Amino acid sequence: MKLFRILAVILVASLLLGAALPAFAQTPPDTDSRGPKPVKPFEKGKLGVNAELAKFKTIKGEVEEVAPDKIKVNGYELFVATDTKFKVPTLSKAAALADIKVGMLVIVLVYEKDGELYIRHINVVPGKPVMAHNVGTVVEFAYDAATGGEITIEPKKGDNVTFEILAGKFKILPAGAEVTVGSLVTVISSRDPATVNRLIASGVVVHGVKPPVQPEKVAGVISAIDETAKTITIGETVLSYDGNTVFTLHGLLSVQVGQEAAASFVTKDDGTLLALKVTVGVDIP
């Protein structure tokens, strides 16, 4: 009788154990009675749990430190790999670790390897350029519309300042003015926030340049012509003319005294009036 009871107990235990084992084997290691366990995000100074379930993670923040092989962002040490890609506004594909500066705002795509975080891609977030006007004397100036250049000025106080000039994005004001060493100028520039201390000049205003002279006009009857002195008198206004003066004749073969004419002219530094254009044969009201 005792032997029979022992055998019955063993048989029941075997049946219960056999039913429990398949159910246990089907339960994933990362689940419980409430369902799948969520992947724990990165915490400062710690690696994520179950990182194999999400190969890449994103970290956004300010660059706190820069070393030859790594940077620090939001407390994370992020290592540079051989295939790390850098993107810095205005630098295009030429960007490298050397262009990453403390204080920059970055978005970094990272992955975990051998217990460390490695950078797959780092993108510098551009900010709003800070415009400034800088007055000083030109020390060096070199510019080509196709390749760009630089301008260095000596301000009244402080050290010399050098500004980068981008190709095709530079104006010299007023129109017709020239920038030379020794010129007093105001450099219109912006500080590129993506590269912290990169100063870019968008133009210069040259001081001491006279504004262009606006032409005046006169109309009336031609009262005198002096081909030796190269003057023509319209009414009582004596105008000189040169090889650049344009004469337009309406229905006439030549310019003669008594004809009606209209002219535009400018006043030269010596006070004489230079005709720019003379139209002869017009009806003057």
Side-chain angles (χ1 to χ4, degrees), residues 230 240-247 268 274-275:
K230 289 189 175 182
S240 63
Y241 61 88
D242 58 19
N244 295 318
T245 302
V246 177
F247 283 87
K268 297 172 64 177
L274 175 64

Side-chain angles (χ1 to χ4, degrees), residues 14 23 40 47 68 77 99 114 123 133 136 145 162 175 232 250 253 282:
S14 298
K40 186 177 180 181
L47 299 180
E77 285 193 339
D99 301 306
D114 299 330
N123 183 25
H133 294 74
T162 298
I232 180 172
H250 287 189
L253 295 177
V282 296

Side-chain angles (χ1 to χ4, degrees), residues 93-213:
K93 295 181 179 179
L97 178 60
D99 301 306
I100 306 300
K101 309 295 183 182
V102 172
M104 287 183 173
L105 181 62
V106 295
I107 298 176
V108 192
L109 191 66
V110 301
Y111 61 92
E112 187 177 333
K113 179 182 177 183
D114 299 330
E116 304 288 359
L117 291 179
Y118 284 83
I119 303 172
R120 173 61 176 165
H121 185 275
I122 179 168
N123 183 25
V124 175
V125 179
K128 185 177 181 181
V130 180
M131 299 302 296
H133 294 74
N134 307 270
V135 180
T137 303
V138 177
V139 177
E140 294 182 8
F141 175 70
Y143 173 67
D144 183 272
T147 59
E150 286 185 343
I151 180 171
T152 301
I153 64 171
E154 180 183 359
K156 291 183 178 180
K157 294 182 180 180
D159 299 328
N160 292 357
V161 184
T162 298
F163 303 85
E164 180 181 354
I165 304 174
L166 302 181
K169 297 183 178 180
F170 185 68
K171 292 183 178 180
I172 300 176
L173 300 174
E178 294 185 0
V179 179
T180 58
V181 174
S183 298
L184 180 63
V185 299
T186 295
V187 180
I188 304 170
S189 70
S190 62
R191 184 182 297 275
D192 184 357
T195 49
V196 183
N197 292 319
R198 187 183 184 198
L199 295 174
I200 301 175
S202 57
V204 296
V205 178
V206 182
H207 296 264
V209 178
K210 293 182 179 180
V213 178

Side-chain angles (χ1 to χ4, degrees), residues 9-20:
V9 171
I10 294 175
L11 178 60
V12 172
S14 298
L15 292 173
L16 292 175
L17 184 59

